[in-house]
Amino acid sequence: MKKLRLLFLIFFLASSVYAKEYNFTGVGLLDVASKKTCTATLVSPDTVLTAAHCVFDVKSSRYYPPKYIQFKPYTKNNDADYIGVKTYTVGMKGVPKGNFTQDDLMGDWALITLKQKVDCSLNRLSLLAQDKYNNHTLVVAGYPKGSHNQLVSDGSCEFALKPTKGKMLRLKNCSLKHGESGAPLMVLIDGKLKVIGTISAGVNDSKGRYRVFAVPSDSFTKKVAKLSQTCEQ
């Protein structure tokens, strides 16, 4: 396996579509120390899901303090304010260095607690267990490089390998390049989007085929299940 490339900046190509068809108000922009941005997803009124490496400072080899992180939920009019972060939990102690395999990224998730709850009208996305999403349309939504205002969705991804419990999700045909990490990997079931993972890394395999890896929802389902879904402040 070649060295994996963390997707700090996922760039959605021309085959992507602007986020108009589905309710993506549960997806938002994560600003980290005004140095980089990632995508994050509301999984409770005051908690967002993203990739752990998004909040990791490579230079200091430490995670950023919460005060340097803020979240802005997506709205069609782009009129939402940034919300500060109270605390967060990550699935790995640090970002692996040098050559590493996909299995080293199973902990590349973070659950971030916001300082205040979001408006209940925003769509909080629920998780779907791994054994229930084999044959559904895959959807990814996130912010293109350099754009803090335009959420873009993509429906071109397919599973390169059948999902296996305890393994990263491997995707092919994704219109994803350098762009925002932490974007939700979702499936469309009966017109509703369910989160099955969070985008982590990309690599060209031994045959030169670009593959994207996502942390499966089973890695953080138990943590999310403990979160309160009450909207009252």
Side-chain angles (χ1 to χ4, degrees), residues 42 44-46 71 73 83 114 116-122 124 231 233:
L42 280 168
S44 85
D46 65 350
F71 173 75
I83 303 173
L114 306 176
Q116 65 187 62
K117 295 182 178 181
V118 300
D119 191 300
C120 284
S121 64
L122 298 181
R124 301 184 303 281
C231 290
Q233 295 288 348

PDB file of all heavy atoms in Angstrom, residues 42 44-46 71 73 83 114 116-122 124 231 233:
ATOM      1  N   LEU A  42     -23.674  17.607  11.650  1.00  0.00           N
ATOM      2  CA  LEU A  42     -24.456  17.599  12.882  1.00  0.00           C
ATOM      3  C   LEU A  42     -25.015  16.204  13.156  1.00  0.00           C
ATOM      4  O   LEU A  42     -25.743  15.656  12.333  1.00  0.00           O
ATOM      5  CB  LEU A  42     -25.616  18.589  12.779  1.00  0.00           C
ATOM      6  CG  LEU A  42     -25.308  20.063  13.014  1.00  0.00           C
ATOM      7  CD1 LEU A  42     -26.495  20.917  12.573  1.00  0.00           C
ATOM      8  CD2 LEU A  42     -24.988  20.315  14.484  1.00  0.00           C
ATOM      9  N   SER A  44     -26.051  15.676  16.571  1.00  0.00           N
ATOM     10  CA  SER A  44     -26.940  16.026  17.667  1.00  0.00           C
ATOM     11  C   SER A  44     -27.028  17.557  17.650  1.00  0.00           C
ATOM     12  O   SER A  44     -26.268  18.210  16.935  1.00  0.00           O
ATOM     13  CB  SER A  44     -26.411  15.515  19.018  1.00  0.00           C
ATOM     14  OG  SER A  44     -25.499  16.412  19.598  1.00  0.00           O
ATOM     15  N   PRO A  45     -27.949  18.156  18.421  1.00  0.00           N
ATOM     16  CA  PRO A  45     -28.094  19.613  18.374  1.00  0.00           C
ATOM     17  C   PRO A  45     -26.838  20.394  18.732  1.00  0.00           C
ATOM     18  O   PRO A  45     -26.704  21.560  18.351  1.00  0.00           O
ATOM     19  CB  PRO A  45     -29.219  19.878  19.388  1.00  0.00           C
ATOM     20  CG  PRO A  45     -30.026  18.631  19.375  1.00  0.00           C
ATOM     21  CD  PRO A  45     -29.020  17.527  19.237  1.00  0.00           C
ATOM     22  N   ASP A  46     -25.912  19.772  19.481  1.00  0.00           N
ATOM     23  CA  ASP A  46     -24.689  20.492  19.851  1.00  0.00           C
ATOM     24  C   ASP A  46     -23.417  19.708  19.567  1.00  0.00           C
ATOM     25  O   ASP A  46     -22.363  19.982  20.140  1.00  0.00           O
ATOM     26  CB  ASP A  46     -24.732  20.885  21.331  1.00  0.00           C
ATOM     27  CG  ASP A  46     -24.731  19.687  22.275  1.00  0.00           C
ATOM     28  OD1 ASP A  46     -24.883  18.541  21.778  1.00  0.00           O
ATOM     29  OD2 ASP A  46     -24.580  19.893  23.488  1.00  0.00           O
ATOM     30  N   PHE A  71     -17.569  26.226  14.111  1.00  0.00           N
ATOM     31  CA  PHE A  71     -18.419  25.531  13.143  1.00  0.00           C
ATOM     32  C   PHE A  71     -19.496  26.471  12.608  1.00  0.00           C
ATOM     33  O   PHE A  71     -20.107  27.224  13.358  1.00  0.00           O
ATOM     34  CB  PHE A  71     -19.073  24.324  13.815  1.00  0.00           C
ATOM     35  CG  PHE A  71     -20.104  23.627  12.972  1.00  0.00           C
ATOM     36  CD1 PHE A  71     -19.717  22.814  11.911  1.00  0.00           C
ATOM     37  CD2 PHE A  71     -21.463  23.775  13.244  1.00  0.00           C
ATOM     38  CE1 PHE A  71     -20.679  22.163  11.135  1.00  0.00           C
ATOM     39  CE2 PHE A  71     -22.417  23.119  12.481  1.00  0.00           C
ATOM     40  CZ  PHE A  71     -22.033  22.316  11.427  1.00  0.00           C
ATOM     41  N   PRO A  73     -22.925  26.113  10.332  1.00  0.00           N
ATOM     42  CA  PRO A  73     -23.854  25.214   9.628  1.00  0.00           C
ATOM     43  C   PRO A  73     -24.236  25.757   8.260  1.00  0.00           C
ATOM     44  O   PRO A  73     -24.262  26.969   8.050  1.00  0.00           O
ATOM     45  CB  PRO A  73     -25.062  25.142  10.560  1.00  0.00           C
ATOM     46  CG  PRO A  73     -24.985  26.381  11.394  1.00  0.00           C
ATOM     47  CD  PRO A  73     -23.533  26.695  11.537  1.00  0.00           C
ATOM     48  N   ILE A  83     -20.183  29.061  15.304  1.00  0.00           N
ATOM     49  CA  ILE A  83     -20.412  28.660  16.696  1.00  0.00           C
ATOM     50  C   ILE A  83     -19.100  28.136  17.268  1.00  0.00           C
ATOM     51  O   ILE A  83     -18.419  27.327  16.638  1.00  0.00           O
ATOM     52  CB  ILE A  83     -21.481  27.560  16.789  1.00  0.00           C
ATOM     53  CG1 ILE A  83     -22.794  28.025  16.146  1.00  0.00           C
ATOM     54  CG2 ILE A  83     -21.728  27.166  18.243  1.00  0.00           C
ATOM     55  CD1 ILE A  83     -23.831  26.936  16.043  1.00  0.00           C
ATOM     56  N   LEU A 114     -20.297  21.683  20.595  1.00  0.00           N
ATOM     57  CA  LEU A 114     -20.400  23.121  20.378  1.00  0.00           C
ATOM     58  C   LEU A 114     -20.787  23.850  21.662  1.00  0.00           C
ATOM     59  O   LEU A 114     -21.359  23.259  22.583  1.00  0.00           O
ATOM     60  CB  LEU A 114     -21.446  23.408  19.292  1.00  0.00           C
ATOM     61  CG  LEU A 114     -21.250  22.680  17.962  1.00  0.00           C
ATOM     62  CD1 LEU A 114     -22.413  22.974  17.022  1.00  0.00           C
ATOM     63  CD2 LEU A 114     -19.929  23.071  17.319  1.00  0.00           C
ATOM     64  N   GLN A 116     -23.033  26.043  21.954  1.00  0.00           N
ATOM     65  CA  GLN A 116     -24.480  26.204  22.011  1.00  0.00           C
ATOM     66  C   GLN A 116     -25.148  25.277  21.009  1.00  0.00           C
ATOM     67  O   GLN A 116     -24.525  24.837  20.040  1.00  0.00           O
ATOM     68  CB  GLN A 116     -24.875  27.652  21.702  1.00  0.00           C
ATOM     69  CG  GLN A 116     -24.541  28.101  20.284  1.00  0.00           C
ATOM     70  CD  GLN A 116     -24.799  29.574  20.072  1.00  0.00           C
ATOM     71  OE1 GLN A 116     -24.173  30.407  20.735  1.00  0.00           O
ATOM     72  NE2 GLN A 116     -25.708  29.899  19.187  1.00  0.00           N
ATOM     73  N   LYS A 117     -26.400  24.958  21.242  1.00  0.00           N
ATOM     74  CA  LYS A 117     -27.143  24.098  20.345  1.00  0.00           C
ATOM     75  C   LYS A 117     -27.584  24.873  19.113  1.00  0.00           C
ATOM     76  O   LYS A 117     -27.828  26.073  19.181  1.00  0.00           O
ATOM     77  CB  LYS A 117     -28.353  23.506  21.072  1.00  0.00           C
ATOM     78  CG  LYS A 117     -27.970  22.579  22.212  1.00  0.00           C
ATOM     79  CD  LYS A 117     -29.197  21.976  22.870  1.00  0.00           C
ATOM     80  CE  LYS A 117     -28.799  21.013  23.981  1.00  0.00           C
ATOM     81  NZ  LYS A 117     -29.972  20.381  24.623  1.00  0.00           N
ATOM     82  N   VAL A 118     -27.693  24.170  18.005  1.00  0.00           N
ATOM     83  CA  VAL A 118     -28.135  24.810  16.772  1.00  0.00           C
ATOM     84  C   VAL A 118     -29.656  24.855  16.736  1.00  0.00           C
ATOM     85  O   VAL A 118     -30.344  24.203  17.528  1.00  0.00           O
ATOM     86  CB  VAL A 118     -27.618  24.045  15.530  1.00  0.00           C
ATOM     87  CG1 VAL A 118     -26.105  24.005  15.514  1.00  0.00           C
ATOM     88  CG2 VAL A 118     -28.198  22.633  15.489  1.00  0.00           C
ATOM     89  N   ASP A 119     -30.167  25.625  15.801  1.00  0.00           N
ATOM     90  CA  ASP A 119     -31.614  25.714  15.594  1.00  0.00           C
ATOM     91  C   ASP A 119     -32.164  24.329  15.253  1.00  0.00           C
ATOM     92  O   ASP A 119     -31.583  23.597  14.455  1.00  0.00           O
ATOM     93  CB  ASP A 119     -31.889  26.689  14.449  1.00  0.00           C
ATOM     94  CG  ASP A 119     -33.360  27.047  14.338  1.00  0.00           C
ATOM     95  OD1 ASP A 119     -34.158  26.118  14.138  1.00  0.00           O
ATOM     96  OD2 ASP A 119     -33.697  28.233  14.427  1.00  0.00           O
ATOM     97  N   CYS A 120     -33.290  23.980  15.842  1.00  0.00           N
ATOM     98  CA  CYS A 120     -33.863  22.651  15.621  1.00  0.00           C
ATOM     99  C   CYS A 120     -34.334  22.441  14.188  1.00  0.00           C
ATOM    100  O   CYS A 120     -34.633  21.307  13.790  1.00  0.00           O
ATOM    101  CB  CYS A 120     -35.035  22.423  16.572  1.00  0.00           C
ATOM    102  SG  CYS A 120     -34.511  22.079  18.258  1.00  0.00           S
ATOM    103  N   SER A 121     -34.425  23.514  13.404  1.00  0.00           N
ATOM    104  CA  SER A 121     -34.842  23.371  12.010  1.00  0.00           C
ATOM    105  C   SER A 121     -33.741  22.777  11.144  1.00  0.00           C
ATOM    106  O   SER A 121     -33.998  22.293  10.041  1.00  0.00           O
ATOM    107  CB  SER A 121     -35.254  24.736  11.434  1.00  0.00           C
ATOM    108  OG  SER A 121     -34.139  25.624  11.404  1.00  0.00           O
ATOM    109  N   LEU A 122     -32.505  22.802  11.653  1.00  0.00           N
ATOM    110  CA  LEU A 122     -31.397  22.235  10.896  1.00  0.00           C
ATOM    111  C   LEU A 122     -31.455  20.715  10.969  1.00  0.00           C
ATOM    112  O   LEU A 122     -31.809  20.134  11.990  1.00  0.00           O
ATOM    113  CB  LEU A 122     -30.056  22.744  11.430  1.00  0.00           C
ATOM    114  CG  LEU A 122     -29.832  24.251  11.330  1.00  0.00           C
ATOM    115  CD1 LEU A 122     -28.453  24.614  11.859  1.00  0.00           C
ATOM    116  CD2 LEU A 122     -29.989  24.737   9.903  1.00  0.00           C
ATOM    117  N   ARG A 124     -30.377  17.221  11.534  1.00  0.00           N
ATOM    118  CA  ARG A 124     -29.374  16.385  12.194  1.00  0.00           C
ATOM    119  C   ARG A 124     -29.406  15.018  11.532  1.00  0.00           C
ATOM    120  O   ARG A 124     -30.452  14.362  11.462  1.00  0.00           O
ATOM    121  CB  ARG A 124     -29.680  16.282  13.691  1.00  0.00           C
ATOM    122  CG  ARG A 124     -29.695  17.633  14.376  1.00  0.00           C
ATOM    123  CD  ARG A 124     -29.893  17.507  15.878  1.00  0.00           C
ATOM    124  NE  ARG A 124     -31.098  16.787  16.252  1.00  0.00           N
ATOM    125  CZ  ARG A 124     -32.323  17.303  16.243  1.00  0.00           C
ATOM    126  NH1 ARG A 124     -32.506  18.550  15.820  1.00  0.00           N
ATOM    127  NH2 ARG A 124     -33.361  16.592  16.637  1.00  0.00           N
ATOM    128  N   CYS A 231     -33.437  19.591  21.701  1.00  0.00           N
ATOM    129  CA  CYS A 231     -33.039  20.879  21.141  1.00  0.00           C
ATOM    130  C   CYS A 231     -33.067  22.014  22.162  1.00  0.00           C
ATOM    131  O   CYS A 231     -32.520  23.079  21.912  1.00  0.00           O
ATOM    132  CB  CYS A 231     -33.953  21.242  19.966  1.00  0.00           C
ATOM    133  SG  CYS A 231     -33.678  20.200  18.508  1.00  0.00           S
ATOM    134  N   GLN A 233     -32.223  24.605  24.899  1.00  0.00           N
ATOM    135  CA  GLN A 233     -30.944  25.102  25.361  1.00  0.00           C
ATOM    136  C   GLN A 233     -30.755  24.801  26.854  1.00  0.00           C
ATOM    137  O   GLN A 233     -31.708  24.808  27.606  1.00  0.00           O
ATOM    138  CB  GLN A 233     -30.851  26.620  25.141  1.00  0.00           C
ATOM    139  CG  GLN A 233     -30.855  26.993  23.669  1.00  0.00           C
ATOM    140  CD  GLN A 233     -29.559  26.634  22.955  1.00  0.00           C
ATOM    141  OE1 GLN A 233     -28.554  26.306  23.575  1.00  0.00           O
ATOM    142  NE2 GLN A 233     -29.575  26.696  21.627  1.00  0.00           N
TER     143      GLN A 233
END
